[in-house]
Amino acid sequence: MKQSLFTIKENVALTHDIMKMVLSGDTTDITRPGQFVNVLIEGQYLRRPISVNDAIDGELTLIYKIVGVGTEKMAKMTPGEKLDILTGLGNGYDTEKSGDRPLLIGGGVGVPPLYMLAKQLCAKGCDVTVILGFRSARDVFYKDEFEALGAKVFVTTEDGTAGTKGFVTGVFGEAGDYTHTYSCGPEPMLRAVYNTSVTSGQYSFEERMGCGFGACMGCSCKTLYGNKRICKDGPVLVKEEIVWEK
Amino acid sequence: MGEMNRLNVNLCGIDMDNPIIPASGTFGFGYEFAELYDINILGTFSFKGTTREARFGNATPRIAECPSGMLNAVGLQNPGVDAVIARELPKMKEVFHKPVMANVSGFSLDEYVEVSSRIDKEDCVGWIELNISCPNVHGGGMAFGTCASSAESVVKAVREVVKKPLIVKLSPNVTNIVEIAKAVEAAGADGVSLINTLLGMRIDMRKKKPLLANVTGGYSGAAVFPVALRMVYQVAGAVKIPVVGMGGVSTAEDVIEMMMAGATAVEIGAENLRNPWACRDIINALPETMDKYGITDLSSIIGAAQP
């Protein structure tokens, strides 16, 4: 974990409530896709955990949803402004487990961390398929970016206004055979993927956090491998250890 | 006088290089922070509240943000005293070489007695901080600390089985904290630490429901500092045993105010969660801040603001 100041280079809307922020700063502690950063926002007591969309050579891209007062403030920030960010948090996805045909499933604001993952999997020669689930056409983002990496992309929307109508699991058949799943999204989606998928997989969870680095026990969860902290031992859990509680 | 000596304090007979103590529940058993800086620069730290049995704690969400602070309702998640002694303390000793403060909690008088007496035998333990003030568990914790007679009986019972200095952590969620402090002093406590968190809540307006799964949680962070300072001042003026001040302390200035109010040492809690280097930063800032206010050594200002 590293604390450093990042400078905003770009902060633009991708949809009505999803923003993309590109920053420059020290990205050396970001070692795996699926990790997150913790952003200190002026006037807010707790930092905001946000997944890493991409990190290359001192350039960090965050895609975040405006959900409350903290992210509302972030959305109003402009290029040149600085943010105090803790980087290198969380375990991230293990790309070694992918097999030849990994299937990536993202829902809503769970889509962003899959981008860096897809990039690395494509780079190592995998045949990558991505399913992106959204509520409605106006919520869809990053389809083209995944396609540009060379991934095969399916989009689903709950109301059918874009892609296939329904949930992400509805297009598993069409997506074809896969060797491993990587998913990130709301818990009901993760659970549906867990129940539908026939292979091993890695699931990225979300929880309200205090510190983001394992000190406060605010984001604990039970697993078959013992109690874990989503921030430090997660956010990625492997299929075999997951206990569904809620 | 060297920099270290200027910061020296003595808490219940044990010398400390400085009065800075990360508070229980915000510092685990130290390892996460030992990766970030040498935690041996601390006066000591108070480790995660330990109970007899392993506890998962409350359901999530357990954390909510507030203006200048936060609510937590962790609910004493800890691996239980057996695992703390067998697994956590040996690991802690690899990264921390000073006497540590052992935070002990419980749900019955027997449990407080058993856990305290076992922890008391551990060489690395300098002080026992008896937590009779956790607001996030039911049928224990704060129930003991909000009534003078039950506080007195649990302290008396633990006093009989422990040799190490016994510091009792008090709840601010009482009508008269001075009365409780006097009761635990009379029962044989060597010191008191205060304040634990203030009971609070938030509501999720979209769901029209309490934000925390536990409904209520403990409020900590910069916002509670004036309340904590007032209580430290009142208690320090009324008891003869040392007071460890805590509650919203975030800067070297806050440390000095706490000590002037009567604190011998100062715990830092929530600030560690937003700035993991907070305690290091405060220790580094102390000499310069002392110079600014004409303070030669910290131990000389303890209670300076008392009448």
Side-chain angles (χ1 to χ4, degrees):
Chain A
M1 176 171 76
K2 220 173 223 175
Q3 177 189 29
S4 43
L5 272 187
F6 281 74
T7 306
I8 299 173
K9 290 165 73 175
E10 189 187 326
N11 192 22
V12 295
L14 293 183
T15 73
H16 62 105
D17 63 357
I18 299 281
M19 298 286 297
K20 174 179 176 176
M21 183 184 271
V22 182
L23 307 105
S24 61
D26 185 350
T27 55
T28 51
D29 257 35
I30 302 168
T31 53
R32 272 178 151 194
Q35 287 185 315
F36 67 97
V37 298
N38 220 354
V39 184
L40 192 63
I41 299 161
E42 182 78 35
Q44 297 307 123
Y45 194 76
L46 293 175
R47 290 172 182 267
R48 297 301 192 268
I50 296 173
S51 66
V52 172
N53 169 248
D54 203 2
I56 17 158
D57 303 334
E59 188 178 277
L60 170 67
T61 307
L62 304 176
I63 292 180
Y64 59 99
K65 185 177 179 178
I66 303 173
V67 289
V69 57
T71 41
E72 271 164 23
K73 282 183 185 172
M74 254 180 96
K76 291 190 182 110
M77 295 186 80
T78 53
E81 287 190 78
K82 291 186 175 3
L83 280 169
D84 172 335
I85 299 180
L86 297 178
T87 57
L89 304 176
N91 57 355
Y93 292 112
D94 183 354
T95 54
E96 299 291 308
K97 305 268 163 62
S98 67
D100 300 335
R101 290 181 49 82
L103 176 62
L104 282 53
I105 309 107
V109 77
V111 167
L114 299 182
Y115 178 75
M116 184 168 162
L117 174 69
K119 202 160 113 177
Q120 292 191 5
L121 294 172
C122 287
K124 74 166 196 170
C126 295
D127 184 358
V128 178
T129 303
V130 184
I131 304 174
L132 306 177
F134 302 97
R135 262 203 193 113
S136 189
R138 69 175 197 146
D139 300 309
V140 177
F141 67 93
Y142 253 54
K143 176 176 185 285
D144 297 347
E145 283 80 354
F146 278 99
E147 277 171 349
L149 294 174
K152 189 169 156 197
V153 182
F154 293 87
V155 168
T156 65
T157 53
E158 289 173 33
D159 63 3
T161 50
T164 307
K165 185 176 175 8
F167 295 105
V168 288
T169 44
V171 293
F172 264 52
E174 251 182 283
D177 290 342
Y178 52 92
T179 48
H180 190 74
T181 66
Y182 292 94
S183 51
C184 183
E187 207 161 303
M189 184 208 89
L190 296 180
R191 200 191 285 230
V193 170
Y194 177 98
N195 289 330
T196 309
S197 70
V198 293
T199 66
S200 57
Q202 298 173 48
Y203 297 72
S204 184
F205 284 78
E206 196 175 48
E207 189 51 80
R208 275 179 185 264
M209 294 176 186
C211 63
F213 52 88
C216 74
M217 314 306 269
C219 61
S220 300
C221 70
K222 290 177 185 167
T223 78
L224 293 177
Y225 300 162
N227 297 337
K228 289 200 168 183
R229 299 159 293 182
I230 294 294
C231 70
K232 178 92 175 176
D233 311 309
V236 177
L237 301 182
V238 295
K239 191 177 187 183
E240 310 86 84
E241 68 180 314
I242 296 173
V243 175
W244 300 103
E245 275 203 284
K246 285 175 189 169
Chain B
M1 193 177 271
E3 291 287 279
M4 293 315 279
N5 290 341
R6 293 185 69 191
L7 305 188
N8 235 43
V9 294
N10 183 292
L11 180 61
C12 305
I14 301 174
D15 280 323
M16 292 167 64
D17 292 330
N18 60 64
I20 304 304
I21 308 172
S24 180
T26 65
F27 215 72
F29 289 87
Y31 339 127
E32 287 79 16
F33 293 85
E35 287 173 22
L36 308 178
Y37 65 94
D38 179 8
I39 62 172
N40 292 291
I41 63 165
L42 300 167
T44 181
F45 74 92
S46 182
F47 67 59
K48 180 72 193 166
T50 298
T51 54
R52 184 163 52 199
E53 271 78 44
R55 286 179 53 80
F56 175 72
N58 292 319
T60 55
R62 299 174 172 186
I63 303 286
E65 192 186 48
C66 304
S68 299
M70 60 181 283
L71 295 176
N72 91 79
V74 170
L76 294 175
Q77 179 176 351
N78 79 93
V81 67
D82 289 338
V84 166
I85 290 172
R87 205 175 66 216
E88 308 292 344
L89 296 186
K91 210 169 138 193
M92 182 209 76
K93 281 192 265 189
E94 289 172 20
V95 293
F96 189 64
H97 315 302
K98 291 179 171 178
V100 75
M101 191 177 280
N103 188 285
V104 171
S105 201
F107 292 82
S108 67
L109 197 132
D110 285 352
E111 182 177 2
Y112 276 110
V113 167
E114 184 185 332
V115 177
S116 301
S117 75
R118 294 191 55 195
I119 290 275
D120 188 58
K121 294 178 182 71
E122 292 300 307
D123 289 342
C124 59
V125 171
W127 309 259
I128 290 171
E129 184 178 52
L130 199 68
N131 180 5
I132 56 167
S133 49
C134 177
N136 295 323
V137 294
H138 303 282
M142 195 171 84
F144 284 93
T146 49
C147 159
S149 63
S150 62
E152 197 172 339
S153 57
V154 69
V155 173
K156 217 170 239 170
V158 170
R159 174 75 286 169
E160 280 175 21
V161 298
V162 302
K163 295 188 181 70
K164 305 249 163 90
L166 179 63
I167 294 172
V168 182
K169 185 167 177 178
L170 304 181
S171 171
N173 305 304
V174 293
T175 313
N176 184 355
I177 195 167
V178 170
E179 186 196 341
I180 311 276
K182 283 177 156 171
V184 304
E185 180 183 38
D190 298 298
V192 284
S193 61
L194 61 140
I195 58 174
N196 204 321
T197 53
L198 290 148
L199 199 58
M201 76 178 286
R202 295 299 308 263
I203 287 170
D204 182 330
M205 290 179 282
R206 285 195 182 89
K207 294 180 183 160
K208 301 184 178 68
K209 280 186 177 156
L211 211 151
L212 297 171
N214 188 52
V215 181
T216 59
Y219 190 16
S220 62
V224 312
F225 179 72
V227 178
L229 188 70
R230 182 265 295 178
M231 288 187 167
V232 166
Y233 180 82
Q234 289 178 325
V235 168
V239 299
K240 293 186 179 67
I241 52 178
V243 175
V244 179
M246 80 186 96
V249 176
S250 332
T251 63
E253 281 84 354
D254 295 345
V255 171
I256 290 171
E257 278 198 59
M258 269 294 179
M259 295 186 74
M260 287 180 169
T264 297
V266 178
E267 294 192 25
I268 288 142
E271 190 65 17
N272 291 308
L273 307 181
R274 57 201 303 270
N275 172 15
W277 292 271
C279 289
R280 178 203 66 183
D281 294 350
I282 289 171
I283 292 167
N284 289 341
L286 270 170
E288 204 180 312
T289 314
M290 289 161 66
D291 289 344
K292 191 174 161 190
Y293 297 98
I295 299 162
T296 348
D297 68 288
L298 273 183
S299 54
S300 71
I301 63 162
I302 298 167
Q306 289 283 341

